[in-house]
Amino acid sequence: MKEIYDCDLGCPVQNTLQFISGKWKSVILYHIFKNDVLRFSELQAKLPYVSKRMLAKQLSELEADGILDKRVYPVIPVKTEYRVTKLGSSLYPVIEAMAIWGTHYTQMVK
Amino acid sequence: MKEIYDCDLGCPVQNTLQFISGKWKSVILYHIFKNDVLRFSELQAKLPYVSKRMLAKQLSELEADGILDKRVYPVIPVKTEYRVTKLGSSLYPVIEAMAIWGTHYTQMVK
DNA sequence: CTGAATCCACGTCGATACTG
DNA sequence: CAGTATCGACGTGGATTCAG
């Protein structure tokens, strides 16, 4: 989890970007918001253009930042689940605003 | 209340990210929203940690994407102004959500 | 199944110098 | 003042392999 001294960069938008500026983090959060809980392989299926390596990396960063909660079930084969933490759920309005804009305005430009 | 998944076509968040995923684009937009119009040197002053090269590049991309309007006044020395287009102004809720979260989070950890 | 580790091509970015 | 051009260091990300 980031400490306060790392967090306040003098611009509220930039403070937020620290947590979601990873190339795919917002999209990952979008899908987890939509499904509540997702396994690694389910995220892979929903983000086919993201390599396994990058997906794992972004998930690990989101977990380290306290945005995602990762649960590992020691069965064989291993099963992991990702869901948002309380902090992560507070990002819902941000992701929602992106989703709304993407839904309504993207056709305008391309 | 309208849910963000009602008009789900693929991934709307990713569509939005194509326009604002640049490392500093959201912060640039935040400052222009706040000030309505900003010159290049004013943006430089507000983003001292961004190199001139990167600032110019991000501004150029935002302009090419129809988010920003750039006006050049052929005086000496040259004077340029950046403001949001109509499309750019539609991104206000997204930037606002980021600013709100960043502000709330900063207050939370203090 | 869920990753971590390694290699390597590629892109990004800062610094500097230059132009109109 | 507002950029562009060039270069080199650095980071990113894909492919592959390995491990628990």
Side-chain angles (χ1 to χ4, degrees), chain A residues 15-30:
Chain A
N15 292 337
T16 303
L17 280 177
Q18 281 187 114
F19 293 90
I20 59 172
S21 69
K23 202 171 181 182
W24 306 110
K25 287 184 183 175
S26 301
V27 184
I28 291 171
L29 284 174
Y30 168 76

Side-chain angles (χ1 to χ4, degrees), chain B residues 92-104:
Chain B
Y92 182 83
V94 178
I95 307 300
E96 183 192 29
M98 287 187 189
I100 289 173
W101 193 90
T103 301
H104 179 263

Side-chain angles (χ1 to χ4, degrees), chain B residues 20-87:
Chain B
I20 60 172
S21 70
K23 201 171 181 181
W24 307 109
K25 288 183 182 175
S26 302
V27 184
I28 291 171
L29 284 174
Y30 168 75
H31 286 290
I32 298 186
F33 276 131
K34 239 173 104 174
N35 295 274
D36 289 332
V37 181
L38 283 178
R39 302 185 52 177
F40 187 87
S41 52
E42 293 173 328
L43 281 163
Q44 271 193 290
K46 291 180 185 303
L47 302 164
Y49 38 81
V50 181
S51 70
K52 187 169 68 167
R53 181 182 174 279
M54 282 316 299
L55 181 57
K57 194 177 169 240
Q58 305 254 47
L59 285 170
S60 143
E61 289 177 11
L62 286 167
E63 186 199 2
D65 282 343
I67 307 279
L68 287 187
D69 174 37
K70 169 183 176 179
R71 299 185 190 173
V72 181
Y73 298 89
V75 295
I76 295 184
V78 177
K79 170 180 172 179
T80 63
E81 288 178 348
Y82 292 91
R83 66 200 77 205
V84 292
T85 61
K86 189 183 175 195
L87 175 63

Side-chain angles (χ1 to χ4, degrees), chain A residues 24-52:
Chain A
W24 306 110
K25 287 184 183 175
S26 301
V27 184
I28 291 171
L29 284 174
Y30 168 76
H31 285 290
I32 298 186
F33 275 132
K34 187 174 177 177
N35 295 274
D36 288 332
V37 181
L38 283 178
R39 300 186 53 178
F40 187 86
S41 52
E42 293 172 329
L43 282 164
Q44 271 193 290
K46 291 178 184 306
L47 303 163
Y49 40 82
V50 181
S51 70
K52 188 172 68 169

Side-chain angles (χ1 to χ4, degrees), chain A residues 69-80:
Chain A
D69 174 36
K70 170 183 176 181
R71 299 184 190 174
V72 181
Y73 298 89
V75 295
I76 295 184
V78 176
K79 169 181 172 180
T80 63

